[in-house]
Amino acid sequence: MQTIRTKLRFTAFFMAILMTLASVWASPAVASVVGTGELLSEQRVEVDRASLLNMLEQQDVKDKLAEMGVSQADVEKRIQNLTPAELSAFEQQLAEAPVGQNSVVGIIVLFLLVFVITDILCATNIYPFINCIR
């Protein structure tokens, strides 16, 4: 009985050391400071996405999308999949447009332009007449 306890104690000690070494080796802990700029840019991306999604809730935008044969769910999915750079460029184009041109048609044309670009880059396949560049 004493030999079994000794062997179990030795095995438990060996396993504890092995698990400790494996956990230290497998996941090195790296602590870094998150800058204010990074934090603000992440929050800005979420605000931009929310503003675009709120824009889709307008009735005239819904009507124009339905008229063009694009479902609102596809547009919402596309907005969620935009990279921060694409989202920033899109928001910048909206901000630079004169007040009179910042209409529903302009917004929808910008959405369709983003769809065409993502189709060309093979990220999506919304329009069957557009061939991807691969």
Side-chain angles (χ1 to χ4, degrees), residues 32-118:
S32 63
V33 176
V34 177
T36 305
E38 292 175 34
L39 191 60
L40 288 176
S41 66
E42 289 175 13
Q43 289 178 349
R44 182 69 187 161
V45 168
E46 294 305 317
V47 168
D48 290 345
R49 271 202 183 100
S51 69
L52 285 177
L53 291 173
N54 287 337
M55 205 177 298
L56 284 178
E57 296 300 319
Q58 297 175 1
Q59 188 59 41
D60 33 346
V61 174
K62 289 180 182 179
D63 294 341
K64 193 67 175 177
L65 286 173
E67 179 182 309
M68 297 178 122
V70 179
S71 72
Q72 184 176 353
D74 287 342
V75 176
E76 288 175 2
K77 182 178 163 189
R78 177 74 52 185
I79 291 172
Q80 293 297 335
N81 290 334
L82 286 176
T83 64
E86 292 170 338
L87 193 59
S88 173
F90 188 73
E91 283 289 327
Q92 187 176 17
Q93 288 175 353
L94 280 177
E96 289 176 357
V99 175
Q101 292 181 354
N102 198 4
S103 65
V104 175
V105 176
I107 293 168
I108 291 177
V109 167
L110 284 175
F111 276 123
L112 295 176
L113 180 65
V114 169
F115 294 159
V116 168
I117 291 170
T118 55

